[in-house]
Amino acid sequence: MPWLIAGYVSIWLVWMPLHSRAKHEGKRALSTVWKVIPTLMAAGVALYSCLTGLADTAAWLMCAGICLGAVADAVLEYRFKLGGFLFFSAHCLYIAAFLRLCPPGRATVIVLLVAIGLAFLFLGRYGARIMGAALRVGGSMYALTLCALLAVALPAPFIQGGLRETLGAVGAGLFVLSDALLCRNSVVHRMARAREAENGTVDLRAERRRAVVERLTLGCYYTAQATLALSVVAYAV
């Protein structure tokens, strides 16, 4: 357990600052390396637990999703559409894992309908401003996948109970939250840039706020991956 805590703390104190600095300096390759290390750590934890402990199909599916997410992290920096497809595939693996943990029922349908409604409201407000026509179909499919992930994950702790299901639900919720924050931050950032260009000024305080929000969003994503990895550990041990 101490090494798991140390690894998580290193994400905030070591890898995220290194990623932010390299990105600010325009070192794309180095920034990508620092960005991927935390997801590789989560993937390593999940894979080690599956190989050395007691792992069922759900654990292996979750592990495969985390590993694929680590690959998607790197690919996304260079090929956005391919990276998005890999993340989509990783979410499908998560969904398959949760379906093995908890068969769908009435609660699944209710959460799915609520999530879809909120997703379309969210995309109606922010999606058109960051996605061109060519990306809207893919973006909508990705959003539906996130809705499905919530639908199969959130009811699990209440129906099945257990630490594994609870960690998985928290990880899925944080995943969706990080993607929503990323979408919103992109819109807010573009609008602020447009105002600054129009006024011929740069708001340094706004820049610092944006940097903080970006780090919190990335930290939310890393925490989601780490929590999903812990859900594998919770069963394997």
Side-chain angles (χ1 to χ4, degrees), residues 1-232:
M1 183 59 69
W3 61 275
L4 289 175
I5 296 175
Y8 179 73
V9 171
S10 74
I11 293 175
W12 291 88
L13 299 183
V14 179
W15 308 117
M16 285 176 58
L18 286 174
H19 164 68
S20 179
R21 181 176 178 180
K23 184 178 179 180
H24 179 73
E25 294 174 351
K27 299 177 180 178
R28 188 178 186 184
L30 188 59
S31 172
T32 302
V33 171
W34 301 142
K35 179 186 177 186
V36 172
I37 285 178
T39 50
L40 287 175
M41 291 167 57
V45 168
L47 184 59
Y48 178 80
S49 297
C50 284
L51 291 174
T52 60
L54 182 65
D56 60 1
T57 303
W60 279 108
L61 287 169
M62 191 72 73
C63 177
I66 298 170
C67 293
L68 188 58
V71 175
D73 252 341
V75 174
L76 193 67
E77 296 296 313
Y78 294 91
R79 297 184 63 182
F80 181 80
K81 291 183 179 180
L82 179 57
F85 174 76
L86 292 176
F87 268 120
F88 169 82
S89 301
H91 290 324
C92 289
L93 289 171
Y94 296 146
I95 291 170
F98 280 111
L99 288 174
R100 298 285 299 187
L101 291 177
C102 181
R106 183 180 301 175
T108 307
V109 177
I110 294 173
V111 175
L112 179 62
L113 293 176
V114 172
I116 290 175
L118 293 175
F120 274 98
L121 288 175
F122 185 87
L123 289 176
R125 181 171 183 179
Y126 296 108
R129 300 182 182 182
I130 62 172
M131 292 187 296
L135 290 177
R136 286 177 190 170
V137 174
S140 297
M141 290 180 61
Y142 185 81
L144 288 174
T145 306
L146 292 177
C147 293
L149 177 60
L150 285 179
V152 297
L154 295 188
F158 302 98
I159 297 175
Q160 298 295 108
L163 179 61
R164 182 189 194 186
E165 289 78 9
T166 301
L167 289 170
V170 171
L174 288 173
F175 230 128
V176 175
L177 177 61
S178 68
D179 280 342
L181 288 174
L182 182 63
C183 180
R184 179 190 176 277
N185 295 343
S186 298
V187 173
V188 172
H189 181 71
R190 289 189 181 187
M191 293 175 65
R193 287 293 192 187
R195 286 195 299 269
E196 291 172 359
E198 183 179 347
N199 297 329
T201 59
V202 176
D203 189 340
L204 296 179
R205 293 179 60 185
E207 283 290 331
R208 286 193 291 269
R209 285 197 299 270
R210 283 195 289 269
V212 170
V213 172
E214 286 178 1
R215 281 194 287 271
L216 289 175
T217 302
L218 189 59
C220 183
Y221 163 69
Y222 288 143
T223 303
Q225 291 281 44
T227 308
L228 291 176
L230 287 177
S231 74
V232 177

